[in-house]
Each structure stands twice: as structure tokens, then as C-alpha cells.
Amino acid sequence: MEGLTLSDAEQKYYSDLFSYCDIESTKKVVVNGRVLELFRAAQLPNDVVLQIMELCGATRLGYFGRSQFYIALKLVAVAQSGFPLRVESINTVKDLPLPRFVASKNEQESRHAASYSSDSENQGSYSGVIPPPPGRGQVKKGSVSHDTVQPRTSADAQEPASPVVSPQQSPPTSPHTWRKHSRHPSGGNSERPLAGPGPFWSPFGEAQSGSSAGDAVWSGHSPPPPQENWVSFADTPPTSTLLTMHPASVQDQTTVRTVASATTAIEIRRQSSSYDDPWKITDEQRQYYVNQFKTIQPDLNGFIPGSAAKEFFTKSKLPILELSHIWELSDFDKDGALTLDEFCAAFHLVVARKNGYDLPEKLPESLMPKLIDLEDSADVGDQPGEVGYSGSPAEAPPSKSPSMPSLNQTWPELNQSSEDTAIVHPVPIRMTPSKIHMQEMELKRTGSDHTNPTSPLLVKPSDLLEENKINSSVKFASGNTVADGYSSSDSFTSDPEQIGSNVTRQRSHSGTSPDNTAPPPPPPRPQPSHSRSSSLDMNRTFTVTTGQQQAGVVAHPPAVPPRPQPSQAPGPAVHRPVDADGLITHTSTSPQQIPEQPNFADFSQFEVFAASNVNDEQDDEAEKHPEVLPAEKASDPASSLRVAKTDSKTEEKTAASAPANVSKGTTPLAPPPKPVRRRLKSEDELRPEVDEHTQKTGVLAAVLASQPSIPRSVGKDKKAIQASIRRNKETNTVLARLNSELQQQLKDVLEERISLEVQLEQLRPFSHL
Amino acid sequence: MAVCIAVIAKENYPLYIRSTPTENELKFHYMVHTSLDVVDEKISAMGKALVDQRELYLGLLYPTEDYKVYGYVTNSKVKFVMVVDSSNTALRDNEIRSMFRKLHNSYTDVMCNPFYNPGDRIQAFDNMVTSMMIQVC
């Protein structure tokens, strides 16, 4: 760079401009954006601007250093004077007028320019300066036209430079400024509060000697309110410079930023102004606020305590009363601390206030802190924000709550729905009788027809038998189809619906077999369906099995004692009977019984018990339970079945029936798969023997599945058995709990039903009217 | 519902006092002042042991022919006094309590403002208080 000689005025002017552009107060490098704004305001053609930039070396360097900046300014002056742009011209052209950065309109500018140029020496002739500004301001006010927007913007952008300097040079201008403000009450009007800042700035600009020209021009503006605030805000001039730099005006930034054509900028400006949101925080402003926030609180998600915020905002030299008001507006949650959003809002309000805008009564929507916990926090915040502030502060929090309740409401609804669906829950209870029905029906059917009709029943009862598990019920409820059952069993959530359906089904079933309602007394362990009893059985089975080292003794819940036998004669039939119990027992089947397990898993065993039939069939069927049967289904199932007979648990029955069905081959798919599934699930729990049983207790399986499942664990150690027993016990407790909950739900539902019926009765007479 | 609402500091000087303008405000000021004695009486009557259990809501301090005066004291001995028109028979105790609760909430919000010096006059109550008074009328 060639040496640049500047006159005093130029020096001063340039330094002002540099400070203006020096957003980051580095004093060395100027932000390109600002510089661009500045140059645009110079009203030079773009190519000239580019040329200037190139000449001064900024393009080379990529940024504007001080020297580059000065050279650029000089070149601007050169260009404006009509001289060709040359590097040499920097120093050769003498008596170059100061580069003019035009912003505004008309007379004010000319006046400014004139005054500045003439008053370059004039340090602070306030008096002389004063008159023009007001005029300017007024003129500005009147001329809120978009045409001058852009120039104004640039003017505004540039203006800050002068104001920036002003604090240093003429602190008295502050009161001056304020006075001017009062004259030009902007009151936060929605339109561009141009007028206010205008006069504000003008005094500053004029007060200065050097940066006169620019100021004159800039007075035009539609000052982004924040600009001025920056000036007086900081303690140190550099900071104030920074502040002023903070163009903060939505419009300015929108327009300035766009390197687009002037028209575009103007349009943007128009748009922004037309959007009528003077409180909007621009990105640059926001970034500035965030930086300031960081200086106080490095964690952006943290809070600024009230005391720190007080100190910070006190620096703005606003009256305490106003600061207090600002605090009230911005502390959204009334916690005495400022989050990032609140801080930005407060800062923005301070800036606005310093620029002469009156504080609003309520927090503007755009300043509303985003509520974190709500998706639509913005929407929620906006609405309640106003309300909250207008009303008692206590209502402010409620502004957040509206969204919360909405969320909360969904839960009750869900619960309601679940309740409704859960109404059906009483499955367990009903299941028992229905189970019994089922069992009996199955029993009857086992001998006769294990076709589809029964299969579902079998399935259900077996499931029911399983127990207390909702899952089981769910499974049943979910559908006669095995698939449903499985799915339901897999997830408790689906229980309600499934249970409901299950219940319905059960009801239907029960309806179909009214006479059998009389629950075949539990005594007949053999009864396949005993959710609870089955579990007990399983325990017994476990205990029994634990004691027994025999293969496959372990798990048969329905027939613990027989287990050993079944183990000896593993039969797939065992599977079935063990709904819940079966699962458990199955899982606990000793590994030794693995080979025999298939037999045990054979629910047909149980069926043999109950029905005392089909054993053979079951055995066969059990064998047919390929999926479940871990091992081959040997005769064990059959034998186990027989053994199980003694227990005659419902599960067994179901198991038997299931296998029976399977054997029938009618709906083999449905029932068998179910038990099979269960078996699989509970496998971990039960010994291999039990696996078969587990199949039946699909529901249980679900529960058990949740437990660490040892697929067909092979470990036939005592420990394994004991572990499985433990697990099964846990499962039992879980199931028991579920059962109790379901019962409670049932009671609730019944009560509701009663009340509804009462209401219905009451309303009935009106229906005739 | 209230015709006058006052916030008294611990040292028994008013932080905020506002009446419906139609009435003779001085009379209300006087009533509030005299009610302070009743408040102190109620506070001291509790005894030290009961401080923990002391209820913030003091209830009806004393009734006059035209008005009833209710009191509420915070744990920091800041008192809220509310004068209610006696003709307003529909005003239930619960409503009074809720009004005091709102007052208390507003007061805590004011306290949270770091720019507020405890002991200064409170400027921020107006909105809420207006709503209360309007209800009354």
C-alpha cells in the first residue's frame, strides 16, 4: 500500500468509520459486511466498489485492515469526485472531499454534508448542530418512505460511527440525545421508528468534528433502535462502538446484509417494516447478545443470576425504574434469573429504550422466550406471554402450563382409553370361569372335535390358564389367532385392547357354555385353565423339579410330581397344559429332560390329564410341535401327560386340548403355535422339559420372555433349576401384581358402568319427550 | 372485591397501598394503619412454638359497619391487608385466601427483580391489583 496521507478531518472521519465498521472491536480488522454497507451507501456502482476493494488490497487480504479501510475510503472519495480510480490517486488527488456515504434524503443530507464539511473544524458546536437535527428528525419522520430506506439504512449503518465516537468526544451528547428523544417519541411504533434515532444520531454526528459528512447523511434513517443504545450502553467507548455497530435494526441488517441490488434491499426493508415487528431481534443482534451472555455466563443453557444481570444492565445507564420494568417484562418465568432467551429479550429492550422507544407494557411476541418443554413453545409462549404480563405475574408461569396441560391431557386420555379398553381387563377374572368353560369345553372337545372352534378356545383357555398375566389374557384377547396372541403377549400395552377382545371372546365363550360356568373346582388341578393355580403349580413344579434331578422333572407347573415321570417320558403334550405355569415349569425343566422336553412341552400331556384322552394324540401332536419342542418329542410327553394327569391342571387340559387340537389338525396351527411360542418364551425359565409347557403359556411366556430367557437352557444343574425357579417366582410376583392392577381396573370400570347406567336410567324418561 | 389493598413492610411502613378512588382514601389508610395492631396481636399470639405452623392467612382482622378487614402475613413479616366492602356478602373466605395468594405471588415476583431494593415502594402491583379491585366493584 502506498503511503496514505490523510488530512486531519479525513483522519478523524476515517477513524470514525473504521470504528463503526469495527464491530468486533478488534481495531484492526473490519467486518466486511459493514464495509460493504458503507460502500453501498457511497452510492457508487458496484464495479467501482469492487475495484476499490481490490485496490486497497482487501480482496487480497480477505479483510479490511485499518490501512486498507482508509485507502478504501479515500478511493471512495476519489470515485465520488469523479476521478479515476488508481492507486496513485490516493495521494495525488488533493483536496478531496470526504467520501460521502449517502443515505438519506434530501435536505437533511445536504444539510448535514454542508454542515459537516463546513464544520469539519467545528468540534462541538452544539448549538449549531442542534437545530438541524431536529429538523432532520422531523423530516425523517415524515418521510418514512421506503425509497430512502436503503440509503437510510446505509446512513444508519454509518451513523453509528459517529455516535460511536461521540461518547468519547462528547459525553454531553447523551443527555442531548435523550432530550431529542423526547421530542421525537417513537413510542415503539410499529413503523420504522426512524425518526427517533435520527435526531438522536444527528447530534452525535454533528458534535463530532471529523465524521461530519457521514453523520449528516445518516441522520436520515430509520434507525435501528439498538444502534443508539449501543452507544451509551457500554462503559468503554470501544464497547459502545461495538454496541452501536450492532446494527440491530432488523431492516438495516436485512437490507445491508443482502449484497443484492439496492432494489432487493429496499424490498426487503419494505417487507421487514411492513411486517411491523420493531421488536424483532436480528441475527446479528442476537449474536451480539449471545456473546454478551457468554461473558457473564459461559454456559448458554445456564442462568444469569439477578445480581449479575443487574450490574450488567445498570451499565446502560437507564433509570432503575425502567430497568425494573424491563426485568419484569423479560424475566418470563419469574425466577430471578435470566436464561439466554430472557437475556436477549432484556437486552433488546434496553437497546430499544436507549434508542428512544418506549417500553411496551407486555413482552412482544418476538421477544418471548421459547418454552423449551413444548414443541409449539413459540406459539404457546406468544399467546400467554401477553396475557401473562398483563395479568399477575403468577399467570406468567401458566403461560407455559397451557402447553403442558395439553400434553398432560393426552395422557389422561390415553389412560382413559386404556381404561376403556382395560375395562375389558377383567379378563383374568372372567377368564377363570371362561377358562373353566374353555377347559370343559375343550375337554368335551378333546374327545370330539378339536377343530377350530375349540382351538381358539383351547388357545384362550390355555392362555388364560396362564394366568394372572395380563399378557396372557391379552394374548387371548388379542385374538384367536396365534399371531395376535403372541403379539399381544409381547406387549402389555396392547393388552387393553386385546384383553378387551379377549374378554369379549371369553364372554362369548362363556356364553356359549353357560352350564360350564361352574368352575370346575380348582381341585382338579388337571384343569387346564388356572392362571393362578397354574402358577402355583409351576412353583410346585419347580420345587418338585428342583428336588428332582431327573431329566425334565423341573418344570411342569401343572404336574410337578408327575414331572419326573413326564421327564421320563417326555411328551410334548406337557407343553400345552402349562400356560403360565407351564411356561415356568417348562423353563425349569431340567436340562436332563431336554430330550424329553418335547414331551413335556407337549401340552397334550395335560390334556391327557383332563381329558384323559387323546394322550396318544397329544403325544403325537406334541411331537408335532416342532418349533417349540426343543428336542424330539418322545414318548416322554405322553408319559408326562399321564403324570400330569394326576395334577390335572387346567393347563394340562389346555395343553392336552391344544395338542389334541393339533392332532386334530384342524387348527393345529393356531393352538400349537401358541403353546409353542410360549414354550419358547419361557424356555429360559423352564428346563427343556418345561419348554413345551411354556408354549402354552404364551402369555406367561411374554412375561417370562422379559426375564432373562435361557433358550432351552441345557443346564440341567441344580443351580440352573434354582435360577429358573427364582425367575419364575419373580414372574409370578409380576403377574400377581398385574393381576391386582387389572382387578382394580376392573372394579373401577364396573363402577363407571354402574354410574353410567344410572345416568342412562335417569335420562331415559327424557328420551320420550 | 377489595376496596383497598395494602402491602406493609416488616417495619410497618407501607410499601404499597391502593384504594378504589371513589372512596375517601384517607379513611382506608387509617383503617389499614389500625389493623396493623390487630395483625401484630395475631402474630404474637401464636407464640414461638407455633411459628412453624403459623398460617399465613390471618383471616378477618376486624369488621366495621361498612367494611371488613382481612390480613395476611408472610414469613418475612411482610403484611398484606385487604379492606373489603361488607355489602359484598358473596365473598367467601376461600376467595379472600386466593386473592392473598395472588398478592403473595406478585410480591415474590417483585422481590425476584434484582432491580428492586427491598424496602422501596412497589410499582409493579398495579396490574394485578386493578384486576382484584375491579372484581370487587
Side-chain angles (χ1 to χ4, degrees), chain A residues 306-307 309-311 313-314 320-321 323-325 327-328 331 334-337 361 389-395, chain B residues 101-103 105-117 120-129 131:
Chain A
S307 50
K310 177 179 178 176
E311 282 174 40
F313 287 113
T314 308
I320 294 288
L321 205 56
L323 288 174
S324 179
H325 191 183
W327 177 277
E328 283 166 24
D331 189 0
K334 300 286 177 210
D335 58 356
E361 290 303 316
Y389 281 101
S390 58
S392 64
E395 294 167 16
Chain B
R101 210 173 304 124
K102 275 165 59 176
L103 271 173
N105 287 337
S106 310
Y107 180 74
T108 53
D109 290 337
V110 168
M111 282 296 126
C112 285
N113 190 334
F115 299 102
Y116 171 78
N117 296 321
D120 290 350
R121 308 213 63 194
I122 301 176
Q123 315 289 342
F125 265 19
D126 289 337
N127 287 342
M128 195 211 35
V129 169
S131 65

Side-chain angles (χ1 to χ4, degrees), chain A residues 71-289:
Chain A
I71 290 171
L73 290 176
K74 187 86 180 190
L75 286 173
V76 167
V78 166
Q80 282 177 343
S81 308
F83 291 96
L85 280 182
R86 298 266 169 70
V87 173
E88 311 80 18
S89 62
I90 292 176
N91 289 328
T92 53
V93 179
K94 309 276 177 172
D95 299 330
L96 207 54
L98 291 174
R100 252 174 304 118
F101 296 91
V102 179
S104 53
K105 341 193 148 143
N106 20 59
E107 43 190 308
Q108 298 167 1
E109 300 169 5
S110 52
R111 237 183 297 155
H112 277 279
S115 62
Y116 280 125
S117 50
S118 60
D119 294 345
S120 57
E121 324 315 319
N122 199 350
Q123 285 289 335
S125 50
Y126 274 71
S127 52
V129 172
I130 294 175
R136 246 180 283 139
Q138 284 156 7
V139 174
K140 294 288 168 155
K141 259 187 184 170
S143 63
V144 182
S145 65
H146 295 289
D147 298 337
T148 56
V149 167
Q150 188 192 9
R152 245 183 242 169
T153 315
S154 53
D156 294 341
Q158 297 169 4
E159 263 199 4
S162 54
V164 172
V165 182
S166 63
Q168 306 169 15
Q169 299 178 358
S170 51
T173 54
S174 298
H176 206 58
T177 307
W178 287 112
R179 247 176 287 138
K180 296 236 183 279
H181 272 293
S182 61
R183 282 189 230 166
H184 306 280
S186 43
N189 46 13
S190 55
E191 350 176 315
R192 275 177 299 111
L194 307 181
F200 183 91
W201 291 115
S202 51
F204 276 97
E206 298 182 5
Q208 300 173 12
S209 52
S211 55
S212 42
D215 297 338
V217 174
W218 297 336
S219 59
H221 54 131
S222 24
Q227 284 180 356
E228 304 176 0
N229 287 352
W230 302 114
V231 180
S232 54
F233 197 88
D235 296 340
T236 62
T239 317
S240 63
T241 302
L242 266 181
L243 294 174
T244 50
M245 306 284 240
H246 201 87
S249 81
V250 182
Q251 300 135 5
D252 270 354
Q253 291 179 352
T254 51
T255 51
V256 167
R257 294 305 164 180
T258 55
V259 187
S261 63
T263 50
T264 310
I266 293 176
E267 285 170 10
I268 293 176
R269 253 194 160 193
R270 286 206 186 105
Q271 290 170 7
S272 58
S273 57
S274 62
Y275 287 153
D276 189 343
D277 192 3
W279 298 109
K280 198 164 154 53
I281 303 181
T282 64
D283 291 338
E284 194 177 302
Q285 285 175 312
R286 183 152 186 104
Q287 191 52 45
Y288 183 79
Y289 298 149

Side-chain angles (χ1 to χ4, degrees), chain A residues 367-695:
Chain A
L367 294 180
M368 217 70 78
K370 297 291 174 272
L371 300 177
I372 309 172
D373 51 6
L374 301 170
E375 301 170 358
D376 55 346
S377 61
D379 304 335
V380 177
D382 291 345
Q383 303 155 7
E386 297 283 342
V387 175
Y389 281 101
S390 58
S392 64
E395 294 167 16
S399 63
K400 293 184 207 169
S401 58
S403 49
M404 291 305 293
S406 62
L407 290 179
N408 294 337
Q409 286 159 6
T410 59
W411 289 111
E413 291 163 11
L414 290 178
N415 295 339
Q416 284 299 322
S417 59
S418 63
E419 287 297 331
D420 296 337
T421 54
I423 291 178
V424 226
H425 253 269
V427 169
I429 296 179
R430 296 201 187 110
M431 287 171 61
T432 314
S434 58
K435 271 187 188 174
I436 296 172
H437 283 313
M438 310 292 269
Q439 295 164 13
E440 295 181 358
M441 292 164 71
E442 289 172 6
L443 281 176
K444 293 176 186 171
R445 290 194 190 119
T446 52
S448 59
D449 178 19
H450 295 278
T451 55
N452 302 335
T454 57
S455 58
L457 290 179
L458 289 176
V459 173
K460 283 184 190 171
S462 57
D463 293 344
L464 297 180
L465 294 180
E466 298 198 7
E467 33 321 70
N468 316 348
K469 293 200 177 175
I470 303 176
N471 287 337
S472 50
S473 60
V474 173
K475 256 192 174 174
F476 297 106
S478 56
N480 295 330
T481 63
V482 179
D484 295 344
Y486 287 109
S487 60
S488 59
S489 61
D490 293 339
S491 61
F492 282 84
T493 54
S494 58
D495 292 351
E497 300 94 10
Q498 293 164 351
I499 291 178
S501 55
N502 190 15
V503 173
T504 52
R505 287 203 206 99
Q506 292 171 355
R507 288 183 191 140
S508 62
H509 290 298
S510 58
T512 53
S513 60
D515 44 336
N516 288 335
T517 40
R525 274 297 163 81
Q527 289 181 2
S529 66
H530 48 156
S531 54
R532 303 189 186 90
S533 57
S534 61
S535 57
L536 290 176
D537 294 335
M538 287 175 71
N539 289 336
R540 267 191 232 161
T541 316
F542 289 136
T543 54
V544 174
T545 54
T546 49
Q548 301 174 2
Q549 290 302 329
Q550 300 177 15
V553 173
V554 188
H556 249 278
V560 172
R563 270 303 155 179
Q565 301 171 17
S567 64
Q568 298 161 4
V574 175
H575 295 299
R576 312 268 177 81
V578 186
D579 292 343
D581 304 344
L583 286 175
I584 299 176
T585 55
H586 289 303
T587 56
S588 62
T589 52
S590 62
Q592 300 162 3
Q593 295 181 352
I594 291 178
E596 300 173 343
Q597 282 181 4
N599 301 333
F600 289 105
D602 229 2
F603 292 106
S604 57
Q605 293 177 6
F606 294 98
E607 287 184 353
V608 172
F609 278 155
S612 68
N613 307 328
V614 194
N615 288 344
D616 302 336
E617 295 173 318
Q618 291 167 353
D619 293 345
D620 300 339
E621 292 171 4
E623 296 172 1
K624 291 177 191 173
H625 291 287
E627 15 175 328
V628 179
L629 299 181
E632 63 293 349
K633 299 191 179 183
S635 56
D636 280 351
S639 57
S640 60
L641 279 177
R642 296 184 195 107
V643 177
K645 244 189 190 176
T646 60
D647 291 350
S648 68
K649 305 204 169 156
T650 53
E651 298 171 357
E652 296 172 354
K653 205 169 155 190
T654 52
S657 54
N661 294 337
V662 174
S663 60
K664 300 292 163 117
T666 51
T667 55
L669 299 181
K674 239 185 180 174
V676 172
R677 172 80 66 86
R678 278 181 257 151
R679 248 179 63 187
L680 286 171
K681 288 180 183 174
S682 59
E683 276 182 5
D684 57 345
E685 301 284 329
L686 306 174
R687 296 294 176 76
E689 315 162 331
V690 184
D691 289 343
E692 298 176 351
H693 296 282
T694 58
Q695 289 177 8

